[in-house]
């Protein structure tokens, strides 16, 4: 029988629903964000992933999200982060103090996004889809 202490070390110190709610609200209030997609890796038992979540963010002002990284603190206190530039966008890997590990993929709304990058992701927020056809 496993001890409670050993079990708690395996359980992330965060609420997955609360985190996704915060990401969705962040996207809704930020006018530069067009689309938010996600994968909750905590629910995928068959796949071992170093992240709790992967968040795909489509933005209008790309440099505001890739050069000014203060927005990372909205989701918790960061311990360390790593920024990687790719042909399709910017990947920001973040370790938060509460054991939360997140991979953000930032792409420009007018940029070329690979359909492979979006495959299997859930939609958190889509402002383009929510707009009236007269816009």
């Amino acid at each position: 029988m496993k001890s409670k202490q050993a079990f708690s070390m395996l359980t992330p110190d965060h609420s997955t629903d609360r985190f996704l709610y915060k990401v969705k609200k962040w996207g809704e209030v930020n006018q530069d964000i067009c689309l938010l997609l996600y994968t909750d890796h905590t629910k995928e038992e068959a796949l071992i992933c170093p992240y709790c979540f992967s968040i795909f963010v489509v933005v209008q002002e790309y440099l505001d999200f890739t050069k000014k990284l203060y927005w990372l603190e909205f989701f918790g206190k960061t311990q360390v982060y790593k920024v990687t530039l790719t042909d399709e966008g910017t990947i920001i890997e973040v370790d938060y103090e509460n054991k939360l590990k997140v991979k953000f993929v930032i792409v420009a709304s007018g940029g070329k996004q690979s359909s492979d990058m979006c495959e299997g992701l859930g939609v958190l927020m889509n402002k383009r889809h929510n707009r009236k056809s007269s816009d």
Side-chain angles (χ1 to χ4, degrees):
M1 182 175 196
K2 292 182 181 179
S3 72
K4 288 183 181 180
Q5 183 180 12
F7 179 74
S8 68
M9 290 175 63
L10 299 174
T11 305
D13 185 24
H14 66 274
S15 165
T16 59
D17 292 337
R18 184 170 182 236
F19 173 76
L20 291 175
Y21 175 81
K22 286 178 86 172
V23 172
K24 181 179 179 180
K25 286 299 174 191
W26 170 70
E28 289 172 348
V29 300
N30 194 315
Q31 293 186 355
D32 285 330
I33 298 175
C34 305
L35 175 67
L36 287 171
L37 303 172
Y38 77 100
T39 298
D40 182 349
H41 300 292
T42 64
K43 299 192 187 306
E44 299 175 4
E45 295 176 18
L47 178 66
I48 297 175
C49 184
Y51 310 108
C52 300
F53 299 96
S54 293
I55 307 293
F56 187 85
V57 186
V58 179
V59 298
Q60 292 178 21
E61 297 296 329
Y62 180 77
L63 292 178
D64 285 349
F65 292 89
T66 58
K67 298 293 182 193
K68 302 172 189 172
L69 299 176
Y70 60 86
W71 59 270
L72 293 174
E73 295 287 326
F74 182 77
F75 308 108
K77 179 102 172 99
T78 57
Q79 284 186 317
V80 65
Y81 63 86
K82 175 183 167 188
V83 178
T84 306
L85 302 175
T86 70
D87 290 340
E88 296 175 328
T90 298
I91 297 171
I92 304 169
E93 300 165 283
V94 185
D95 289 357
Y96 289 97
E97 280 188 348
N98 60 354
K99 300 182 187 174
L100 181 66
K101 295 181 185 292
V102 181
K103 177 176 80 171
F104 293 96
V105 179
I106 313 295
V107 296
S109 62
K112 178 187 137 194
Q113 291 97 28
S114 167
S115 60
D116 293 340
M117 290 177 75
C118 300
E119 189 173 317
L121 298 177
V123 177
L124 274 176
M125 191 256 340
N126 185 351
K127 288 182 183 168
R128 292 178 182 167
H129 180 69
N130 294 336
R131 289 185 181 161
K132 296 178 183 174
S133 59
S134 62
D135 287 349

